[in-house]
PDB file of all heavy atoms in Angstrom:
ATOM      1  N   MET R 294      93.480  58.079 129.612  1.00  0.00           N
ATOM      2  CA  MET R 294      93.776  56.688 129.568  1.00  0.00           C
ATOM      3  C   MET R 294      94.861  56.369 128.557  1.00  0.00           C
ATOM      4  O   MET R 294      95.048  57.238 127.638  1.00  0.00           O
ATOM      5  CB  MET R 294      92.536  55.845 129.258  1.00  0.00           C
ATOM      6  CG  MET R 294      92.133  55.858 127.783  1.00  0.00           C
ATOM      7  SD  MET R 294      90.820  54.713 127.434  1.00  0.00           S
ATOM      8  CE  MET R 294      91.688  53.186 127.246  1.00  0.00           C
ATOM      9  N   GLU R 295      95.573  55.350 128.705  1.00  0.00           N
ATOM     10  CA  GLU R 295      96.578  55.032 127.682  1.00  0.00           C
ATOM     11  C   GLU R 295      96.218  53.724 126.991  1.00  0.00           C
ATOM     12  O   GLU R 295      95.634  52.823 127.629  1.00  0.00           O
ATOM     13  CB  GLU R 295      97.936  54.869 128.462  1.00  0.00           C
ATOM     14  CG  GLU R 295      98.554  56.219 128.673  1.00  0.00           C
ATOM     15  CD  GLU R 295      99.936  56.107 129.301  1.00  0.00           C
ATOM     16  OE1 GLU R 295     100.505  55.039 129.256  1.00  0.00           O
ATOM     17  OE2 GLU R 295     100.463  57.165 129.741  1.00  0.00           O
ATOM     18  N   LEU R 296      96.589  53.751 125.806  1.00  0.00           N
ATOM     19  CA  LEU R 296      96.172  52.596 124.933  1.00  0.00           C
ATOM     20  C   LEU R 296      97.473  51.934 124.410  1.00  0.00           C
ATOM     21  O   LEU R 296      98.354  52.744 123.829  1.00  0.00           O
ATOM     22  CB  LEU R 296      95.341  52.975 123.784  1.00  0.00           C
ATOM     23  CG  LEU R 296      94.464  51.983 123.053  1.00  0.00           C
ATOM     24  CD1 LEU R 296      93.520  51.238 123.997  1.00  0.00           C
ATOM     25  CD2 LEU R 296      93.650  52.766 121.949  1.00  0.00           C
ATOM     26  N   SER R 297      97.792  50.776 124.635  1.00  0.00           N
ATOM     27  CA  SER R 297      98.999  50.118 124.104  1.00  0.00           C
ATOM     28  C   SER R 297      98.752  49.590 122.764  1.00  0.00           C
ATOM     29  O   SER R 297      97.861  48.813 122.553  1.00  0.00           O
ATOM     30  CB  SER R 297      99.480  49.135 125.189  1.00  0.00           C
ATOM     31  OG  SER R 297     100.583  48.428 124.583  1.00  0.00           O
ATOM     32  N   LEU R 298      99.635  49.934 121.796  1.00  0.00           N
ATOM     33  CA  LEU R 298      99.401  49.484 120.426  1.00  0.00           C
ATOM     34  C   LEU R 298     100.562  48.563 120.036  1.00  0.00           C
ATOM     35  O   LEU R 298     101.755  48.751 120.403  1.00  0.00           O
ATOM     36  CB  LEU R 298      99.323  50.638 119.441  1.00  0.00           C
ATOM     37  CG  LEU R 298      98.298  51.776 119.701  1.00  0.00           C
ATOM     38  CD1 LEU R 298      98.430  52.940 118.734  1.00  0.00           C
ATOM     39  CD2 LEU R 298      96.922  51.117 119.626  1.00  0.00           C
ATOM     40  N   ALA R 299     100.186  47.534 119.197  1.00  0.00           N
ATOM     41  CA  ALA R 299     101.226  46.548 118.685  1.00  0.00           C
ATOM     42  C   ALA R 299     101.188  46.715 117.237  1.00  0.00           C
ATOM     43  O   ALA R 299     100.288  47.054 116.530  1.00  0.00           O
ATOM     44  CB  ALA R 299     100.910  45.196 119.115  1.00  0.00           C
ATOM     45  N   ARG R 300     102.404  46.542 116.654  1.00  0.00           N
ATOM     46  CA  ARG R 300     102.580  46.522 115.145  1.00  0.00           C
ATOM     47  C   ARG R 300     101.705  45.420 114.419  1.00  0.00           C
ATOM     48  O   ARG R 300     101.738  44.337 114.983  1.00  0.00           O
ATOM     49  CB  ARG R 300     103.968  46.354 114.714  1.00  0.00           C
ATOM     50  CG  ARG R 300     104.826  47.611 114.802  1.00  0.00           C
ATOM     51  CD  ARG R 300     104.439  48.717 113.816  1.00  0.00           C
ATOM     52  NE  ARG R 300     104.554  48.269 112.469  1.00  0.00           N
ATOM     53  CZ  ARG R 300     105.533  48.442 111.657  1.00  0.00           C
ATOM     54  NH1 ARG R 300     106.583  49.043 112.105  1.00  0.00           N
ATOM     55  NH2 ARG R 300     105.552  48.064 110.406  1.00  0.00           N
ATOM     56  N   THR R 301     101.071  45.794 113.403  1.00  0.00           N
ATOM     57  CA  THR R 301     100.433  44.774 112.608  1.00  0.00           C
ATOM     58  C   THR R 301     101.385  44.103 111.661  1.00  0.00           C
ATOM     59  O   THR R 301     102.406  44.687 111.503  1.00  0.00           O
ATOM     60  CB  THR R 301      99.195  45.327 111.796  1.00  0.00           C
ATOM     61  OG1 THR R 301      99.779  46.378 110.938  1.00  0.00           O
ATOM     62  CG2 THR R 301      98.169  45.877 112.676  1.00  0.00           C
ATOM     63  N   ARG R 302     100.949  42.950 111.062  1.00  0.00           N
ATOM     64  CA  ARG R 302     101.889  42.341 110.122  1.00  0.00           C
ATOM     65  C   ARG R 302     101.741  43.038 108.792  1.00  0.00           C
ATOM     66  O   ARG R 302     100.517  43.419 108.401  1.00  0.00           O
ATOM     67  CB  ARG R 302     101.634  40.847 109.978  1.00  0.00           C
ATOM     68  CG  ARG R 302     102.186  40.074 111.189  1.00  0.00           C
ATOM     69  CD  ARG R 302     101.701  38.647 111.170  1.00  0.00           C
ATOM     70  NE  ARG R 302     100.216  38.564 111.326  1.00  0.00           N
ATOM     71  CZ  ARG R 302      99.479  37.448 111.340  1.00  0.00           C
ATOM     72  NH1 ARG R 302     100.163  36.257 111.275  1.00  0.00           N
ATOM     73  NH2 ARG R 302      98.236  37.497 111.410  1.00  0.00           N
ATOM     74  N   ASP R 303     102.806  43.191 108.056  1.00  0.00           N
ATOM     75  CA  ASP R 303     102.729  43.901 106.656  1.00  0.00           C
ATOM     76  C   ASP R 303     102.304  42.917 105.594  1.00  0.00           C
ATOM     77  O   ASP R 303     103.087  41.977 105.267  1.00  0.00           O
ATOM     78  CB  ASP R 303     104.069  44.586 106.469  1.00  0.00           C
ATOM     79  CG  ASP R 303     103.939  45.566 105.208  1.00  0.00           C
ATOM     80  OD1 ASP R 303     103.355  45.159 104.210  1.00  0.00           O
ATOM     81  OD2 ASP R 303     104.403  46.696 105.435  1.00  0.00           O
ATOM     82  N   ILE R 304     101.060  43.091 105.182  1.00  0.00           N
ATOM     83  CA  ILE R 304     100.512  42.098 104.158  1.00  0.00           C
ATOM     84  C   ILE R 304     101.325  42.195 102.861  1.00  0.00           C
ATOM     85  O   ILE R 304     101.757  41.173 102.298  1.00  0.00           O
ATOM     86  CB  ILE R 304      99.066  42.407 103.882  1.00  0.00           C
ATOM     87  CG1 ILE R 304      98.288  42.423 105.124  1.00  0.00           C
ATOM     88  CG2 ILE R 304      98.587  41.515 102.840  1.00  0.00           C
ATOM     89  CD1 ILE R 304      96.887  43.046 104.996  1.00  0.00           C
ATOM     90  N   LEU R 305     101.542  43.390 102.418  1.00  0.00           N
ATOM     91  CA  LEU R 305     102.221  43.663 101.153  1.00  0.00           C
ATOM     92  C   LEU R 305     103.659  43.021 101.121  1.00  0.00           C
ATOM     93  O   LEU R 305     104.068  42.352 100.192  1.00  0.00           O
ATOM     94  CB  LEU R 305     102.254  45.166 100.841  1.00  0.00           C
ATOM     95  CG  LEU R 305     102.871  45.635  99.575  1.00  0.00           C
ATOM     96  CD1 LEU R 305     102.108  45.157  98.396  1.00  0.00           C
ATOM     97  CD2 LEU R 305     102.947  47.114  99.585  1.00  0.00           C
ATOM     98  N   ALA R 306     104.385  43.353 102.236  1.00  0.00           N
ATOM     99  CA  ALA R 306     105.778  42.886 102.266  1.00  0.00           C
ATOM    100  C   ALA R 306     105.843  41.419 102.277  1.00  0.00           C
ATOM    101  O   ALA R 306     106.687  40.742 101.778  1.00  0.00           O
ATOM    102  CB  ALA R 306     106.462  43.485 103.464  1.00  0.00           C
ATOM    103  N   THR R 307     104.886  40.777 103.093  1.00  0.00           N
ATOM    104  CA  THR R 307     104.796  39.287 103.196  1.00  0.00           C
ATOM    105  C   THR R 307     104.546  38.724 101.818  1.00  0.00           C
ATOM    106  O   THR R 307     105.259  37.695 101.468  1.00  0.00           O
ATOM    107  CB  THR R 307     103.709  38.874 104.180  1.00  0.00           C
ATOM    108  OG1 THR R 307     103.851  39.601 105.371  1.00  0.00           O
ATOM    109  CG2 THR R 307     103.748  37.366 104.478  1.00  0.00           C
ATOM    110  N   VAL R 308     103.551  39.226 101.089  1.00  0.00           N
ATOM    111  CA  VAL R 308     103.291  38.698  99.750  1.00  0.00           C
ATOM    112  C   VAL R 308     104.491  38.824  98.859  1.00  0.00           C
ATOM    113  O   VAL R 308     104.900  37.890  98.169  1.00  0.00           O
ATOM    114  CB  VAL R 308     101.986  39.462  99.189  1.00  0.00           C
ATOM    115  CG1 VAL R 308     101.811  39.042  97.771  1.00  0.00           C
ATOM    116  CG2 VAL R 308     100.794  39.023  99.973  1.00  0.00           C
ATOM    117  N   ALA R 309     105.064  40.064  98.840  1.00  0.00           N
ATOM    118  CA  ALA R 309     106.142  40.295  97.857  1.00  0.00           C
ATOM    119  C   ALA R 309     107.318  39.449  98.062  1.00  0.00           C
ATOM    120  O   ALA R 309     108.019  39.043  97.177  1.00  0.00           O
ATOM    121  CB  ALA R 309     106.557  41.809  97.940  1.00  0.00           C
ATOM    122  N   SER R 310     107.563  39.086  99.404  1.00  0.00           N
ATOM    123  CA  SER R 310     108.785  38.327  99.660  1.00  0.00           C
ATOM    124  C   SER R 310     108.496  36.855  99.646  1.00  0.00           C
ATOM    125  O   SER R 310     109.432  35.941  99.682  1.00  0.00           O
ATOM    126  CB  SER R 310     109.337  38.650 101.123  1.00  0.00           C
ATOM    127  OG  SER R 310     108.331  38.340 102.046  1.00  0.00           O
TER     128      SER R 310
END
Side-chain angles (χ1 to χ4, degrees):
M294 77 171 279
E295 280 185 10
L296 201 55
S297 170
L298 301 177
R300 278 295 300 268
T301 57
R302 286 171 295 183
D303 193 311
I304 303 166
L305 181 64
T307 308
V308 169
S310 62

